[in-house]
Amino acid sequence: MGTVPLLSDSEAPPESLAVFDEIREARGTDYVNNFWRALAHDPALLRATWERAAHVMAPGALHPLVKELIYIAVSTANGCAYCVHSHTSAARAKGMTPDQHAELLAVIAMASQTNALATALAVPVDDRFDEAQL
Amino acid sequence: MGTVPLLSDSEAPPESLAVFDEIREARGTDYVNNFWRALAHDPALLRATWERAAHVMAPGALHPLVKELIYIAVSTANGCAYCVHSHTSAARAKGMTPDQHAELLAVIAMASQTNALATALAVPVDDRFDEAQL
Amino acid sequence: MGTVPLLSDSEAPPESLAVFDEIREARGTDYVNNFWRALAHDPALLRATWERAAHVMAPGALHPLVKELIYIAVSTANGCAYCVHSHTSAARAKGMTPDQHAELLAVIAMASQTNALATALAVPVDDRFDEAQL
Amino acid sequence: MGTVPLLSDSEAPPESLAVFDEIREARGTDYVNNFWRALAHDPALLRATWERAAHVMAPGALHPLVKELIYIAVSTANGCAYCVHSHTSAARAKGMTPDQHAELLAVIAMASQTNALATALAVPVDDRFDEAQL
Amino acid sequence: MGTVPLLSDSEAPPESLAVFDEIREARGTDYVNNFWRALAHDPALLRATWERAAHVMAPGALHPLVKELIYIAVSTANGCAYCVHSHTSAARAKGMTPDQHAELLAVIAMASQTNALATALAVPVDDRFDEAQL
Amino acid sequence: MGTVPLLSDSEAPPESLAVFDEIREARGTDYVNNFWRALAHDPALLRATWERAAHVMAPGALHPLVKELIYIAVSTANGCAYCVHSHTSAARAKGMTPDQHAELLAVIAMASQTNALATALAVPVDDRFDEAQL
């Protein structure tokens, strides 16, 4: 599938190739995955997305592995198969164990079912949970 | 809002009241939030949901706070305002700092945008991310 | 909330008022709910939506109550609080019992969690489930 | 696709194999579909999911076929291709006729469009639909 | 994939074949795409969907290309790979340039991330944005 | 509702106040809407979001009004009531007529229903729509 061709190194415009090189260096691998090759048609969007991702996923108040778990959770709820695959792979590369993966799945499943129940019941937010009382 | 009345202690059936008591004891508070009061119309569903949630969210290979962050991430992507409120509150009770909250938001936003890009581009999954090759 | 004003009978254009009258007659009540009053700004969209809804929700191979349950299920998964409210009310008017409501909620919750699991695991479709083999 | 290998009977841990056997017996077939083979990495999650599903989908106040239709509706709205396939197959096995399938599709399509309209118009919930008035 | 067989011209019922012919004439091509071939099992749903689509996508207050861009945006957010493919193709046929495609992607990504932020923060709607004040 | 307090000018940190000032200047109004006041707890996220939004929504290959329509479409499909309100307001400020709004709604509704149909039927993507053939 795909709504645009994936650009090889020889097909990518030079500004996109420069981003490929930054990705390679940051990740210590020659492999550039399909997401970036699809984005490479628009070097500006490629650069903005890559730079923001590198910044957001860097170590900070949350551990990089925790960030990957959150990424998988969002990608699952949004039904993005590509992102689920790429970030499950990234999480493993950052040390996710099978037990952690299993618990991640269990929490995602739990949240999905209570999300549905709260929506079907249209439960009103408790006053004590509301921090923006005007 | 609400598609069912929220049941007070005096309105809830005895089997639901028993679950309310377990919730109170587990959380060390007298307060039972609206989600459980809406579910209380069906004691069996209330009990199944509460017991599964207590099991899934307990400490394990992932820290309870990490589980709350994942819960918020799923609830956000599913657009469940009730769950976003209740689990942001729970995350704070488990020690989430403002910096951690800010990074959680940034990762959720990042994932949401790349989910959309990968879907709009219909990027094919890289072979190396596919673990179920048949 | 609202991105357009709700039109009262005296504010609605005549073509929309004519649809209001059809709704009143079909439902045997003088009450026209907010959804139609919001759509009334565009009589063509109001009419197309009302006529299609009346056609689709009429008795057929599926019982009208079953159609309402399906409607609630979709509205829940799509996170549409308005539709969850209006169709839960409609289901009750068509005879939904508390036990049926409870089972509906349980199935919605079950589906939501296995949807999430199947997506997070990216489970490949079994050959025997594929009816469109090319 | 897949983020984990599908486990064959000889690869699955014994506790998962025991669940496979229960699935086989309950369904009267030797075939265990991919969803369970993907979940089999975590016997506890596999068992919890299977047992809950068997309980929720059993005959009750709603007919098992109606439950499958609701399952398809949720899976469609959540965009889970795997679940749409497996539960459409299950619905057929429980007697879904082509006419019922066609009406199911029509209701899902109708709900999806009015969900979108109600959300884009941000229609406020009618007082008479609100059962949780505080 | 597919939950129903795609019907060839010789397999489709006559009323569906009549719609295929209208599609061919309207589009000036002999090719009928898979979506219509899947819907062809139910001639009434096929006709209703085709006629409504032809009406809604016709030139009006919005340019047909703008309508295609909106269609891609909705299909992306709903995670419909089929629709993303077919409407990206349709948009190109109506003149979408690579620059326009790139800006479409950037707006979709931007909206997706602020949608997530507004939901995670549960930002209350400003009074001045509320047009339905009751 | 809200998971964080909305920060007034006197409560916002200085770096957030500086962004408020840029928003005021760019929009030619003293009013800073709730979204930015909620984001103001994290000046870095506020600045990154504002700067990216200002860049993406600026005139380019697509007209600013068209970008707002796309934004509303995505926000509707994602079920973000806040964003639907704020961008419907923004679209009106950029000249959206009632007729354009009505057509936008009709296209969103059409896409939502065919998205659901294509997903429920699991229609395979036509070869001719696939631009990424590997």
Side-chain angles (χ1 to χ4, degrees):
Chain A
M1 296 205 303
T3 60
V4 297
L6 301 178
L7 299 184
S8 66
D9 280 21
S10 59
E11 294 164 328
E15 306 94 311
S16 290
L17 206 52
V19 178
F20 287 1
D21 287 341
E22 293 178 34
I23 294 172
R24 285 179 167 116
E25 191 178 315
R27 296 187 168 172
T29 168
D30 221 45
Y31 188 72
V32 174
N33 55 296
N34 292 347
F35 178 67
W36 307 114
R37 294 193 178 283
L39 271 180
H41 293 271
D42 179 16
L45 183 57
L46 172 64
R47 176 162 291 288
T49 307
W50 161 250
E51 290 186 349
R52 184 69 186 155
H55 177 75
V56 167
M57 300 304 283
L62 297 177
H63 189 281
L65 174 54
V66 170
K67 293 185 177 186
E68 291 294 346
L69 301 181
I70 294 165
Y71 218 112
I72 294 169
V74 172
S75 302
T76 298
N78 281 336
C80 180
Y82 185 86
C83 308
V84 166
H85 277 91
S86 61
H87 287 276
T88 300
S89 178
R92 286 199 181 100
K94 291 181 183 170
M96 180 178 71
T97 65
D99 277 1
Q100 288 174 324
H101 193 208
E103 291 196 16
L104 169 67
L105 294 173
V107 176
I108 291 173
M110 190 71 222
S112 300
Q113 82 176 117
T114 58
N115 288 176
L117 288 170
T119 300
L121 292 163
V123 185
V125 176
D126 302 65
D127 282 347
R128 66 175 57 194
F129 295 153
D130 184 359
E131 303 287 336
Q133 311 218 5
L134 301 175
Chain B
M1 297 204 303
T3 61
V4 296
L6 302 177
L7 298 185
S8 67
D9 280 20
S10 59
E11 294 164 327
E15 306 95 310
S16 290
L17 205 52
V19 178
F20 286 1
D21 286 342
E22 293 178 35
I23 294 172
R24 285 180 168 117
E25 192 178 316
R27 296 189 169 171
T29 166
D30 220 46
Y31 188 74
V32 174
N33 54 296
N34 292 347
F35 179 66
W36 307 114
R37 294 192 178 282
L39 271 180
H41 292 271
D42 179 15
L45 183 58
L46 171 63
R47 176 162 292 286
T49 307
W50 162 249
E51 289 186 351
R52 183 71 186 153
H55 177 76
V56 168
M57 301 304 283
L62 296 177
H63 190 281
L65 174 55
V66 170
K67 293 186 176 185
E68 291 294 346
L69 301 181
I70 293 166
Y71 218 112
I72 295 169
V74 172
S75 303
T76 298
N78 282 334
C80 180
Y82 185 85
C83 309
V84 166
H85 277 91
S86 59
H87 287 276
T88 300
S89 178
R92 287 200 182 100
K94 291 179 183 172
M96 180 177 72
T97 65
D99 276 1
Q100 289 174 323
H101 193 208
E103 290 195 17
L104 169 68
L105 293 172
V107 176
I108 291 173
M110 190 71 224
S112 300
Q113 83 176 114
T114 59
N115 288 177
L117 288 170
T119 299
L121 292 162
V123 185
V125 175
D126 302 65
D127 281 345
R128 65 174 57 192
F129 296 152
D130 184 359
E131 302 288 337
Q133 310 216 5
L134 301 175
Chain C
M1 296 203 306
T3 60
V4 296
L6 302 177
L7 298 185
S8 67
D9 280 21
S10 58
E11 294 163 328
E15 306 94 310
S16 290
L17 205 52
V19 178
F20 286 1
D21 287 342
E22 292 178 36
I23 293 172
R24 286 180 167 116
E25 192 178 313
R27 297 188 168 172
T29 167
D30 221 46
Y31 188 74
V32 174
N33 54 296
N34 292 347
F35 179 66
W36 307 113
R37 293 194 179 283
L39 272 180
H41 292 271
D42 179 15
L45 183 58
L46 171 63
R47 176 162 293 287
T49 307
W50 161 250
E51 290 187 350
R52 184 69 186 154
H55 176 75
V56 167
M57 300 304 283
L62 296 177
H63 190 281
L65 174 54
V66 170
K67 293 186 176 184
E68 291 294 346
L69 301 181
I70 294 165
Y71 218 111
I72 294 169
V74 173
S75 302
T76 298
N78 281 335
C80 180
Y82 186 86
C83 308
V84 167
H85 277 91
S86 60
H87 286 276
T88 300
S89 177
R92 286 200 181 100
K94 291 179 182 171
M96 181 177 71
T97 65
D99 276 1
Q100 289 174 325
H101 193 208
E103 290 195 16
L104 169 67
L105 293 173
V107 176
I108 291 173
M110 189 73 222
S112 300
Q113 83 176 114
T114 58
N115 288 175
L117 288 170
T119 299
L121 292 162
V123 185
V125 175
D126 301 65
D127 281 347
R128 65 175 57 193
F129 296 152
D130 184 0
E131 302 287 337
Q133 310 215 5
L134 300 176
Chain D
M1 296 203 305
T3 60
V4 295
L6 302 177
L7 298 184
S8 66
D9 280 21
S10 59
E11 294 164 327
E15 306 94 309
S16 290
L17 206 52
V19 178
F20 286 1
D21 287 341
E22 293 178 35
I23 294 172
R24 286 181 167 114
E25 191 178 314
R27 297 187 168 172
T29 168
D30 221 46
Y31 188 74
V32 174
N33 54 296
N34 293 346
F35 179 66
W36 308 113
R37 293 193 179 282
L39 271 180
H41 292 271
D42 179 16
L45 184 57
L46 172 63
R47 176 161 293 286
T49 307
W50 161 250
E51 289 188 349
R52 183 71 187 155
H55 176 76
V56 167
M57 300 304 282
L62 297 177
H63 190 281
L65 175 54
V66 170
K67 292 185 176 184
E68 290 294 347
L69 302 181
I70 294 165
Y71 217 112
I72 296 169
V74 172
S75 302
T76 299
N78 282 336
C80 180
Y82 186 86
C83 308
V84 166
H85 277 91
S86 61
H87 287 276
T88 299
S89 179
R92 286 200 182 100
K94 291 181 182 169
M96 181 178 71
T97 65
D99 277 1
Q100 288 174 326
H101 193 207
E103 291 196 17
L104 169 67
L105 293 173
V107 176
I108 290 173
M110 189 73 223
S112 300
Q113 84 176 114
T114 59
N115 288 175
L117 288 170
T119 300
L121 291 163
V123 185
V125 175
D126 302 65
D127 281 347
R128 64 175 57 193
F129 296 153
D130 184 0
E131 303 287 337
Q133 311 217 3
L134 301 174
Chain E
M1 296 204 304
T3 60
V4 297
L6 302 178
L7 298 184
S8 67
D9 280 22
S10 59
E11 294 164 326
E15 306 94 310
S16 289
L17 205 52
V19 178
F20 286 2
D21 287 342
E22 293 178 36
I23 293 172
R24 286 180 167 117
E25 192 178 315
R27 296 188 168 171
T29 168
D30 221 46
Y31 188 74
V32 174
N33 54 297
N34 292 348
F35 178 67
W36 307 113
R37 294 192 179 283
L39 271 180
H41 293 271
D42 179 17
L45 183 57
L46 171 63
R47 176 161 292 285
T49 307
W50 162 249
E51 289 187 350
R52 184 70 186 153
H55 176 76
V56 167
M57 300 304 284
L62 296 177
H63 190 280
L65 175 54
V66 170
K67 293 185 176 185
E68 291 294 347
L69 301 181
I70 294 166
Y71 218 113
I72 295 168
V74 172
S75 302
T76 298
N78 282 335
C80 180
Y82 185 86
C83 308
V84 166
H85 277 92
S86 61
H87 287 276
T88 300
S89 178
R92 286 200 181 99
K94 291 180 183 170
M96 181 177 71
T97 65
D99 277 1
Q100 289 174 324
H101 193 208
E103 291 196 14
L104 169 67
L105 293 173
V107 176
I108 290 173
M110 190 72 224
S112 300
Q113 82 177 116
T114 58
N115 289 176
L117 288 170
T119 299
L121 292 163
V123 186
V125 175
D126 302 66
D127 281 346
R128 66 174 58 193
F129 296 153
D130 184 0
E131 302 288 336
Q133 311 216 4
L134 300 174
Chain F
M1 296 204 304
T3 59
V4 295
L6 302 177
L7 298 185
S8 66
D9 280 22
S10 59
E11 294 163 327
E15 307 93 310
S16 290
L17 205 53
V19 178
F20 286 1
D21 287 342
E22 292 178 35
I23 293 172
R24 286 180 166 115
E25 191 178 316
R27 297 188 167 171
T29 167
D30 220 45
Y31 189 74
V32 174
N33 53 297
N34 292 347
F35 179 67
W36 308 113
R37 294 193 178 282
L39 271 180
H41 292 270
D42 179 15
L45 184 57
L46 171 65
R47 175 162 293 286
T49 307
W50 161 251
E51 288 186 351
R52 184 69 186 153
H55 176 75
V56 167
M57 300 303 282
L62 296 177
H63 190 281
L65 174 55
V66 169
K67 293 185 175 185
E68 291 294 346
L69 301 181
I70 294 165
Y71 218 113
I72 295 169
V74 173
S75 302
T76 298
N78 282 335
C80 180
Y82 186 85
C83 308
V84 166
H85 277 92
S86 61
H87 287 275
T88 300
S89 178
R92 286 200 181 100
K94 290 179 183 172
M96 181 177 71
T97 65
D99 277 1
Q100 289 174 324
H101 192 209
E103 292 196 13
L104 168 67
L105 293 172
V107 176
I108 291 173
M110 189 72 223
S112 300
Q113 82 176 115
T114 59
N115 288 175
L117 288 170
T119 300
L121 293 162
V123 185
V125 175
D126 302 65
D127 281 346
R128 66 175 57 193
F129 296 153
D130 184 359
E131 303 287 337
Q133 311 217 3
L134 300 174

